[in-house]
Each structure stands twice: as C-alpha cells, then as structure tokens.
Amino acid sequence: MQGLVRSVWNEPRPPNPPRRVWRDWVLVGVLVPTAVLEGILRPDLPWRVLSVAVTIGLIATLLWRRTRPLLMVAIVFGTTSVTPLLTNGDGTETHTMAYLLLVVYSLFRWGSGREAVLGLPIMLTAVFLSMASGRLASADAVAAFAVMFSAIALGGAFRYRARARMRELDHVKLLEREQLARDLHDIVAHHVSAMAIRAQAGIATSASRPNAATEALHVIEAEASRALAEMRAMVRVLRRNEPAELAPGRTITDLEQLAGTARVGPAVNVEILGDLDDLPPAVGAAIYRLAQESVTNARRHARHATHIEVRVAADATSVHLRVSDDGEGGPLRPGAPPGYGLIGMIERAHLLGGTCVAGPNPVRGWTVTAVLPRTGMAT
C-alpha cells in the first residue's frame, strides 16, 4: 500500500498538455451569456447579481485548467466555500456552474500525482462544508459525490488511455530505429570490407607496382569517410541506447521486386527516374522500406483497388517517393491518430532528415509521399 501511494505521489504530469485552444474560447463565449441568461430568467436564484458574477468569474479557470489544474481547483472550491459566508449561508451556485466538472476532470487528466493527491482533499472538504452548513442535504450529497467521482474516473481513464498509446508509439518508433540500424550496419560492414580488400590488394601488389599502395590508400580513405558518416547516422538512430538486432538490409534496386500482378489484390507498377547510382545506401534502403510499407498498406486497406503506382524520382538534392492507389480506403476521421505503420514510416524519414506524409486523393484512392535528402543526413 505504501508503494502504491508513493507511486501515485511521484506520478509526473502527462507531457505536452495543450494550452488554451480555440475550443476553450468558444466554451467561454457560450458560458458567459448562458450565465447572464440564467440570472435573468431564473426567479428562485438568491443573490442574483453576486451569483452571476461568481459564475462568470470562475469561467476563467477553464482557460488554465490544463496547465495549472491544482490552482484552478483550489480557486473554484475555495470560492464556492467562501461566498456563503458573505450571503448569510445562502448558496450562490447556478446551473451553469456544471462546467466546473471540467476543472475536476482536468486535475486527474493533466495534473501530476502530487497535485491529484492534494486536490482531492480540497474538493472533499468543500462538499463536507456544504453538508455541515445545511446547504447540501444528505441525499443531494450522494449525487454530488457520484458526479464528482465520475469526473475523476473519466479523467483517470483518458490519462491511462493516452499513456498506453504513447507506449505503443514509442514501441513502433523503436522497431523502426532497430530496422534502420540493421540497414546501416550492413552498409558500414560493406565499407569496412572494401577497405580490408583494398589494403590486402595493395600489400600483395606493392612489390611489382609501387603505386598500388598509394591507390589503395586513396580508396581506403574514401571508404573510411563514407563508413564514418554512416556510423554517425547509426549513433543518432540508437541515441536511446536500445539494443538492435543487426541483419542485412535492402537497397533501392529491390524496388523492382514489388512490381507485378499478385494473385490476390491490385497490380503494382514501379517507375524509377533520375540518377540513383551514387545514392547513399541508407537512403536507398529507406526508400525501399517506405515503398514496401505503403504497398502493403494499400493491398490491406484499399478496397476495390485495381492498381498501385510506385514512383521514385531523384534530383540533385533529394529523392522523391510517391505511392498511390485507386481504392476506396477513405480518409482518416478528423482528429483521428495515424496508424502505427504510418508512424513508423514518418519516424524513418525523420531520422534521415526527410519527410513523409499520407492522405486521400481528391477523387478516390490514397497517396503516400516521402522526400529524403540525397545525403541521408538530418540537418
């Protein structure tokens, strides 16, 4: 039990809580005239002017409920507990004050464990004071506790859901890092092998060809520079110190294997344009992985698709990938999070200094577009 309490107390705030967004201002803009309208139309409201003023004043707590949840809870329940002292025991609560449940929800959704532990006694004390003063009957207190704990449970549930999704996203990104590390390991091994072969050849022919050693050193220098650049990229990929299983990777020439007509599903057409001869292997492997995942997603999710187009074009600075289908996969719902496959693709492109976006076509179908720098280095 002590360990559970300590764990809750040390629980940090969820990362990156949203600050005031446009929905908050819309909510404030709706609640203020609602409170005024209630003050005008409700005949049984005691201390009409003060009640409306308190209701409108506490609306401002909604703007800081995510970034300062404990302070907002203290302001709300402190104010509602003190105002009866100014009205000879009469309450100043209005029906519009139901919005205060958002403040309770936000404390357990966005606050730290320490703030939640400190905020809960504040809320309970306010309810018990209302009961002791006679402003809240026992039957109404049961309903008040039920509503308050429902808001608490809802905040905790959304907090747990967000944390679980964050763990899943981290896992997807880690898998993508491991895959990229495998590709980079294979590339570095190729450069090191080339250096060893050239060094052996230089030693073997140095007696008959005095210039062979110099030529070998030039080749070794070039391969060493490339290997060093790839090693630096690998270190950036593994900056979280996570282990990665190393295995041979793919190259951009393997894109042709994606082409053809499958027994089930749409046909795939691959088009490669531009100069790709001196493309860094890390970029080539990334282009293949992005195209492979895009084709897999299209075959899996694009309903009634007849063909998938894979187009790779290279210019002097970048490599462009475009994968599109003519299916009926449909766009993502507004505000819906992207799938884990797309998240992995975005992560891989980002690690190499590029971008990857996906979205529906104007008429039908889905398109994935990725742009990677030819150097394969994040700036």
Side-chain angles (χ1 to χ4, degrees):
M1 185 64 182
Q2 184 178 0
L4 177 61
V5 173
R6 185 182 300 109
S7 175
V8 173
W9 182 263
N10 295 327
E11 173 77 14
R13 283 187 176 186
N16 304 320
R19 295 183 178 273
R20 292 179 293 277
V21 296
W22 65 269
R23 290 187 296 271
D24 294 333
W25 294 106
V26 171
L27 184 60
V28 170
V30 171
L31 288 175
V32 170
T34 301
V36 174
L37 191 61
E38 181 180 359
I40 296 173
L41 300 179
R42 184 178 167 187
D44 61 330
L45 184 63
W47 299 87
R48 189 182 308 272
V49 176
L50 180 60
S51 297
V52 173
V54 170
T55 302
I56 294 177
L58 292 180
I59 290 176
T61 59
L62 298 178
L63 301 176
W64 288 274
R65 68 183 188 276
R66 302 186 191 93
T67 55
R68 298 289 187 272
L70 179 58
L71 178 59
M72 297 304 106
V73 165
I75 291 174
V76 165
F77 286 90
T79 302
T80 54
S81 298
V82 170
T83 49
L85 301 178
L86 306 176
T87 59
N88 298 323
D90 294 330
T92 58
E93 293 83 3
T94 62
H95 297 320
T96 309
M97 278 189 174
Y99 68 79
L100 295 181
L101 289 174
L102 291 175
V103 179
V104 177
Y105 162 84
S106 298
L107 175 63
F108 291 86
R109 172 62 181 91
W110 299 107
S112 65
R114 185 170 306 181
E115 290 173 322
V117 171
L118 296 175
L120 184 59
I122 295 175
M123 295 184 291
L124 294 177
T125 300
V127 176
F128 284 125
L129 288 177
S130 297
M131 294 175 59
S133 63
R135 293 186 297 109
L136 188 64
S138 300
D140 294 334
V142 174
F145 279 119
V147 172
M148 185 173 66
F149 282 109
S150 296
I152 293 174
L154 189 63
F158 274 93
R159 184 191 190 103
Y160 174 80
R161 178 185 177 187
R163 185 188 303 167
R165 176 168 175 80
M166 187 176 299
R167 285 197 298 265
E168 292 173 347
L169 294 180
D170 289 340
H171 180 66
V172 171
K173 291 181 179 181
L174 176 59
L175 292 179
E176 196 62 35
R177 289 172 182 274
E178 290 180 352
Q179 183 61 58
L180 185 53
R182 297 186 192 107
D183 297 338
L184 290 171
H185 171 268
D186 188 55
I187 294 165
V188 172
H190 169 76
H191 292 313
V192 174
S193 298
M195 287 188 288
I197 293 173
R198 293 299 301 182
Q200 293 171 357
I203 294 173
T205 59
S206 60
S208 58
R209 292 181 56 208
N211 294 331
T214 302
E215 295 174 359
L217 287 175
H218 286 303
V219 174
I220 291 172
E221 178 186 15
E223 294 293 336
S225 298
R226 297 190 187 98
L228 181 60
E230 301 294 348
M231 283 292 292
R232 288 172 177 168
M234 187 186 299
V235 169
R236 287 198 303 273
V237 171
L238 299 177
R239 60 182 179 267
R240 293 184 180 178
N241 298 322
E242 295 285 351
E245 178 187 356
L246 302 177
R250 294 283 192 168
T251 65
I252 201 168
T253 57
D254 295 320
L255 281 174
E256 299 293 344
Q257 299 178 7
L258 300 177
T261 303
R263 292 182 179 180
V264 179
V268 180
N269 180 47
V270 177
E271 182 182 13
I272 300 177
L273 304 173
D275 182 15
L276 301 173
D277 294 337
D278 60 343
L279 195 67
V283 177
I287 290 294
Y288 174 84
R289 296 296 183 189
L290 296 175
Q292 181 187 44
E293 181 68 20
S294 301
V295 170
T296 299
N297 289 340
R299 283 176 168 168
R300 184 178 302 166
H301 302 295
R303 299 186 300 273
H304 309 300
T306 60
H307 67 275
I308 302 171
E309 299 289 338
V310 179
R311 186 176 187 274
V312 179
D315 55 32
T317 59
S318 306
V319 181
H320 302 259
L321 169 68
R322 186 177 186 273
V323 182
S324 61
D325 63 74
D326 62 345
E328 299 176 356
L332 290 173
R333 299 188 309 273
Y340 295 131
L342 179 57
I343 291 172
M345 295 164 62
I346 294 172
E347 177 74 2
R348 175 176 282 263
H350 175 71
L351 289 171
L352 294 176
T355 59
C356 179
V357 295
N361 298 329
V363 179
R364 58 179 289 167
W366 190 268
T367 296
V368 176
T369 304
V371 180
L372 300 181
R374 291 188 69 102
T375 58
M377 293 292 182
T379 55

